[in-house]
Amino acid sequence: MEIITIPCLQDNFAYLLICNKTKQAAVVDPSEAAPVKTTVEEHGVELTTILNTHHHWDHVDGNKELSEYFPNLSIYGHDSDRGRIPGQTEFLKSGDEVCFGEQTGSFLHNPGHTSGAITYVFGKFAFTGDTMFAAGCGRLFEGTAAQMHDSLNLQIGSLADETELYFGHEYTEANLRFALSVEAGNTEIEKKLTTVRALRAEGRFSTPTTLAEERKTNPFLRCTSTEIHSTLQTKDPKQDLAEKMVFKTLRELKDKF
Ligand code: ZN
Ligand code: FE
């Protein structure tokens, strides 16, 4: 399987997934139709499928125009997003497969950012939408900090270290600056910040990341870090150091960062 990153809108990413055997393709989170059409045509593939990670407009707004242009698209989303994802045809429930061309994947239900948020998994590639970003996680619009903690740490966190994570927005630089603000002694964060600034200066993007890198640099996967604990206790001596409480405080601090 080949993956093409398609920058959309201000800082969104759609991804074109190409089945090399059949030259059929799926697009993850088409925020807008035009750049997706262009990419599909450039690669000479047949778009058969849309994979939406959640219902937010900046992830589904291209659905309607794409389904008019490319007939008979299968449009995947979580079952609970019924009525919220334009043109949805596939309503994913626990255990369902996700298919296009000769590719078969699975999904993780990741409540937190929204109640129907999912991560698509095809072998070593995972598409996390706004649940997990490089060095960060999505805002809590429809879920609790505890749910988001579990979505990141227990679900996405259960994938293999070498899993490549393709996320929904180019927020990496700001996320790394926040990560450093709570864990100033973490040299892995500093190194990654230097790398990402260089990439961005050249107009390149920081997607994908890997789960191994995230375990070292993403504060939301590092709720047991003693340095993060002492940062939080400096701000509030009564900070509860239980993992989910650390996660909750980090998310609140990030909201104000
Ligand atoms: Zn969103
Ligand atoms: Fe978004």
Side-chain angles (χ1 to χ4, degrees):
M1 192 171 93
E2 191 183 343
I3 300 167
I4 317 287
T5 298
I6 310 173
C8 293
L9 305 175
Q10 196 70 22
D11 51 31
N12 276 79
F13 293 124
Y15 298 101
L16 187 70
L17 282 50
I18 300 174
C19 172
N20 291 321
K21 289 186 202 156
T22 63
K23 295 292 168 200
Q24 290 176 315
V27 62
V28 176
D29 285 354
S31 348
E32 45 180 348
V36 175
K37 281 185 194 170
T38 307
T39 310
V40 166
E41 278 155 15
E42 272 171 9
H43 287 80
V45 294
E46 180 198 353
L47 189 72
T48 63
T49 307
I50 294 176
L51 305 174
N52 291 124
T53 61
H54 64 297
H55 75 285
H56 283 158
W57 71 272
D58 62 315
H59 299 256
V60 305
D61 241 22
N63 281 20
K64 187 169 179 289
E65 196 180 328
L66 288 175
S67 52
E68 286 162 4
Y69 194 78
F70 301 101
N72 306 317
L73 289 183
S74 298
I75 303 182
Y76 283 83
H78 191 257
D79 183 51
S80 67
D81 270 340
R82 190 180 290 268
R84 304 207 294 182
I85 292 181
Q88 186 173 359
T89 64
E90 312 300 315
F91 301 86
L92 291 170
K93 289 196 191 82
S94 178
D96 286 351
E97 288 181 334
V98 180
C99 304
F100 73 96
E102 287 183 16
Q103 309 295 315
T104 301
S106 59
F107 76 96
L108 305 170
H109 182 208
N110 293 152
H113 179 64
T114 66
S115 53
I118 57 190
T119 288
Y120 291 97
V121 182
F122 289 89
K124 65 172 211 146
F125 308 116
F127 300 86
T128 58
D130 289 355
T131 296
M132 184 153 155
F133 300 121
C137 72
R139 284 175 187 264
L140 303 176
F141 286 117
E142 299 177 355
T144 63
Q147 283 177 316
M148 192 61 137
H149 169 277
D150 289 354
S151 291
L152 263 68
N153 288 271
L154 304 186
Q155 297 204 47
I156 297 174
S158 71
L159 299 171
D161 272 353
E162 59 274 17
T163 307
E164 293 180 9
L165 305 172
Y166 292 80
F167 44 87
H169 290 267
E170 182 59 68
Y171 292 159
T172 311
E173 191 177 335
N175 286 345
L176 287 164
R177 285 194 287 108
F178 172 73
L180 262 190
S181 78
V182 292
E183 201 176 17
N186 183 333
T187 54
E188 294 292 335
I189 299 174
E190 242 175 295
K191 264 195 271 173
K192 184 148 180 171
L193 187 53
T194 306
T195 309
V196 169
R197 279 182 171 145
L199 278 175
R200 300 296 297 131
E202 291 173 19
R204 292 160 65 203
F205 301 107
S206 64
T207 187
T209 181
T210 63
L211 199 52
E213 271 180 65
E214 293 311 300
R215 294 196 210 284
K216 292 185 222 159
T217 56
N218 191 326
F220 298 97
L221 289 183
R222 300 181 55 75
C223 296
T224 58
S225 150
T226 49
E227 189 181 355
I228 291 179
H229 289 181
S230 62
T231 304
L232 299 194
Q233 285 193 318
T234 307
K235 293 178 193 286
D236 174 9
K238 292 198 293 286
Q239 171 70 45
D240 183 336
L241 295 180
E243 235 181 286
K244 287 180 189 180
M245 296 310 291
V246 170
F247 188 101
K248 182 168 187 277
T249 304
L250 286 173
R251 190 53 259 179
E252 287 163 2
L253 289 172
K254 179 62 172 64
D255 285 344
K256 291 178 257 155
F257 184 71

